[in-house]
Amino acid sequence: MGAWLAIADVSLGMNRKKSRLIEHNSPLNFLFLSLLLAFSAVRAQGQCAGKVSSPGDVADCAARETPREGTAILDPLHPYTLAELIDVAEHHNPTTRTIWERAKQKARELGLAKSTYYPELDGLAVFGDERLINPFPEPLAPRGYVMVEIPLVRPEVTLQYLIFDFGKREAGVDAAKAEKLAAGADVIQVNQALAFQVASAYYQLMTAQERLQAAQDTLRTAQTTQDAAENRLNNGLATLPDVLNARAETAQAVFDKESADGDEKIARVTLTEAVGADPSPNIVIDSQRSAPLPERLTLSIDALIDRAMENRPELMAQTLEIRSAEARIRAAKAEYKPQIVLSGSVAQTSVWPASDYGQLGSASEPTWSATLGIRWRIFDGGVRKNELLIAESKRREAEDELTAKRDETTREVWTAYIAFRTALRKHEAAVALLESANASYSASLDAYKYGVKNLVDVVTAEKQLAQARLSSVSARSELFLEAVNLEFATGNLLRNQPPATRLRSEDGHP
């Protein structure tokens, strides 16, 4: 338990000095636990440290922070841990930056919805000059009219304030809040998907490296068989066809090694692309073959499904979409009701009129107006009715999508559960197969050297050993990846809940 807490402390702190102490004891244990134990509750969201506890925390952080821009630059000499690669990907992968900007937009839309609660103030400055013809009785005006010119200066402030609207604004704010939280859940979902993508590319590279090592071991085995055949030929105990057969197996091993080398370089390119760097083979990972493997599950299938229903961010987002749709329905219904609006203005009006007949006085006085009105739309040709029907349809659509996603989540958890248990058994079988193939090849080679068996038996055992090595490599990597996939399926990647699997320590105890 103490070692478990120590590793958890390293994953939370990401302190390099502590990290080296953990890696000295169990290298990939740190990598694996750092991923399954949220790899860091402090760094998990990439753009904002420590904001992974809920969609609300992520959404609030997105409103404040701006993600980094540009591609990642990797150090070709630094061996990257899985946690480091996920952190780089979250900062630099274009997908995370895109979803981050969408979350920022939803946060601003909430601000727009809240602004409707405030009055609207407008400033207006009017400068004018107007010439009018005013009819006037002839005894007072010889021409029967008076020409009047009115220069005007009027700075004015106007106010519009919606006092009451039967819940329309409240519904709009509720809908915007739900959409903001849904955007935060989308950020978590995208980060989890990216973490799984990086982890998959990481373990694929690790598999490619171990396949390359297995191919090199197979080449050495084939060379050993060839040397034995040539020695027996030199001593007159073997035939030339035996030697040629052994040389053919060596050539095939060289071909397999070169193919494995190419696959390993391609896997490096894939990993650099996943983390948001320019695709290239210039990356080094710190994979260690002595790392402990997942040993067993810590939760039942029912508990795993319950965790997924609670933690899967896409389910959270869909639930929030239903909440938003319900708020939109309330807003559509409020459109049928009247609105109470307060309007007013205050100005300083300055005029100095002049007339071609008689004397007019100038003035510079404050002027104002205030009105309280009720605005009620009586007929709109079905606009409100159709808006309400659309809102209700969107709610039903969101509810159906949630049902489909719940069924999909259950299927994915079951699939991940079965795949992990299968990977456990496959790894156990691969270990037994490798031990058996190793013993079979050694016995066949010794028997061949003593003339008890022919070269065909040795070559057959050699091929079985090569296949067993590849099966062991694949089974080991598959076990790691299926453990990560189980965390991904239950929504526990980059979160601080206990992992669904337990690792075996170096002394053989969990």
Side-chain angles (χ1 to χ4, degrees):
M1 184 65 180
W4 180 275
L5 293 177
I7 294 173
D9 178 66
V10 172
S11 70
L12 292 174
M14 295 295 291
N15 182 280
R16 290 187 177 273
K17 180 177 180 181
K18 292 181 181 179
S19 174
R20 287 195 294 270
L21 293 175
I22 295 296
E23 290 174 353
H24 177 72
N25 293 326
S26 53
L28 268 185
N29 198 19
F30 167 68
L31 288 177
F32 189 70
L33 283 178
S34 63
L35 181 64
L36 299 187
L37 288 173
F39 96 83
S40 168
V42 176
R43 301 170 54 132
Q45 276 306 323
Q47 281 80 2
C48 283
K51 299 298 182 183
V52 295
S53 59
S54 69
D57 289 334
V58 179
D60 291 339
C61 179
R64 298 190 307 269
E65 303 294 337
T66 300
R68 302 176 190 172
E69 298 181 356
T71 58
I73 299 177
L74 299 176
D75 183 357
L77 301 179
H78 174 70
Y80 285 92
T81 66
L82 179 55
E84 288 175 328
L85 291 174
I86 292 175
D87 186 54
V88 171
E90 288 181 328
H91 281 97
H92 297 281
N93 190 286
T95 304
T96 60
R97 299 204 303 272
T98 299
I99 200 67
W100 198 265
E101 292 299 338
R102 290 177 185 170
K104 290 177 71 68
Q105 294 163 17
K106 291 298 181 181
R108 300 308 176 202
E109 289 177 7
L110 175 59
L112 290 176
K114 289 182 176 179
S115 67
T116 58
Y117 277 98
Y118 295 91
E120 180 180 336
L121 292 175
D122 295 314
L124 177 65
V126 177
F127 304 90
D129 188 8
E130 185 176 13
R131 190 181 187 190
L132 303 174
I133 299 177
N134 286 336
F136 227 72
E138 285 189 1
L140 299 177
R143 292 177 294 182
Y145 65 89
V146 176
M147 296 293 297
V148 179
E149 185 176 353
I150 307 175
L152 172 68
V153 175
R154 183 172 64 200
E156 180 180 12
V157 176
T158 62
L159 176 142
Q160 289 286 329
Y161 187 23
L162 179 60
I163 297 177
F164 189 67
D165 61 359
F166 290 92
K168 178 183 177 181
R169 288 176 298 179
E170 180 183 4
V173 170
D174 289 346
K177 283 182 179 177
E179 291 171 4
K180 173 187 173 183
L181 294 176
D186 289 340
V187 171
I188 295 176
Q189 196 275 331
V190 168
N191 276 343
Q192 287 189 349
L194 179 62
F196 182 70
Q197 178 185 351
V198 174
S200 299
Y202 176 90
Y203 286 120
Q204 287 171 3
L205 174 56
M206 189 171 70
T207 301
Q209 291 178 338
E210 294 184 354
R211 281 181 175 272
L212 176 59
Q213 183 62 51
Q216 293 170 345
D217 293 340
T218 299
L219 177 59
R220 285 192 290 269
T221 301
Q223 189 63 55
T224 299
T225 302
Q226 179 182 331
D227 292 342
E230 290 176 346
N231 287 336
R232 286 180 59 81
L233 178 64
N234 294 334
N235 294 325
L237 301 176
T239 63
L240 181 60
D242 286 343
V243 174
L244 294 177
N245 193 7
R247 289 175 180 174
E249 290 300 320
T250 302
Q252 180 65 48
V254 171
F255 175 86
D256 293 340
K257 182 184 79 68
E258 294 301 327
S259 178
D261 183 67
D263 292 341
E264 192 263 354
K265 288 183 172 60
I266 292 174
R268 290 176 185 270
V269 175
T270 302
L271 181 57
T272 56
E273 181 185 16
V275 301
D278 291 332
S280 76
N282 298 324
I283 186 173
V284 180
I285 62 174
D286 68 340
S287 58
Q288 300 291 333
R289 298 178 187 175
S290 59
L293 290 167
E295 180 194 36
R296 63 182 178 85
L297 291 166
T298 60
L299 297 173
S300 66
I301 180 60
D302 291 335
L304 291 173
I305 292 175
D306 290 341
R307 170 180 281 190
M309 294 300 174
E310 181 180 354
N311 291 340
R312 285 280 288 254
E314 59 267 44
L315 296 182
M316 298 180 193
Q318 195 59 41
T319 301
L320 291 165
E321 289 293 339
I322 295 175
R323 187 187 303 176
S324 174
E326 291 172 344
R328 298 295 181 191
I329 292 175
R330 298 203 318 268
K333 290 180 177 179
E335 286 285 357
Y336 282 95
K337 299 176 182 178
Q339 296 179 344
I340 300 176
V341 181
L342 174 65
S343 302
S345 66
V346 60
Q348 180 71 26
T349 303
S350 300
V351 295
W352 47 97
S355 173
D356 62 349
Y357 186 81
Q359 187 70 29
L360 299 177
S362 61
S364 179
E365 298 290 342
T367 56
W368 55 270
S369 69
T371 60
L372 182 65
I374 297 178
R375 186 169 58 217
W376 197 347
R377 197 187 321 176
I378 298 175
F379 180 75
D380 59 8
V383 172
R384 290 171 294 179
K385 176 183 177 181
N386 287 303
E387 287 178 347
L388 178 58
L389 292 175
I390 291 172
E392 291 174 342
S393 177
K394 287 184 176 180
R395 179 187 62 184
R396 293 192 297 271
E397 177 188 358
E399 290 172 344
D400 291 340
E401 286 184 5
L402 178 60
T403 300
K405 287 184 178 181
R406 286 181 177 274
D407 292 342
E408 182 182 359
T409 296
T410 302
R411 174 183 58 79
E412 290 178 354
V413 173
W414 266 108
T415 301
Y417 172 80
I418 295 171
F420 177 77
R421 290 168 60 89
T422 303
L424 276 175
R425 293 192 294 269
K426 286 172 65 176
H427 180 262
E428 293 171 357
V431 170
L433 175 62
L434 182 59
E435 292 177 355
S436 176
N438 233 328
S440 174
Y441 173 75
S442 298
S444 297
L445 182 62
D446 290 342
Y448 174 70
K449 290 179 179 179
Y450 289 108
V452 178
K453 286 191 174 185
N454 57 39
L455 186 63
V456 174
D457 296 326
V458 180
V459 171
T460 300
E462 178 187 323
K463 290 181 178 179
Q464 291 175 344
L465 177 58
Q467 185 61 41
R469 284 169 176 161
L470 294 178
S471 298
S472 176
V473 168
S474 298
R476 181 175 179 274
S477 296
E478 182 181 354
L479 184 55
F480 272 118
L481 189 57
E482 291 301 341
V484 177
N485 183 41
L486 187 60
E487 301 298 332
F488 179 57
T490 56
N492 197 39
L493 274 184
L494 309 184
R495 301 180 73 88
N496 54 7
Q497 298 187 52
T501 57
R502 178 168 295 181
L503 301 183
R504 177 174 292 275
S505 62
E506 290 184 340
D507 58 4
H509 299 287

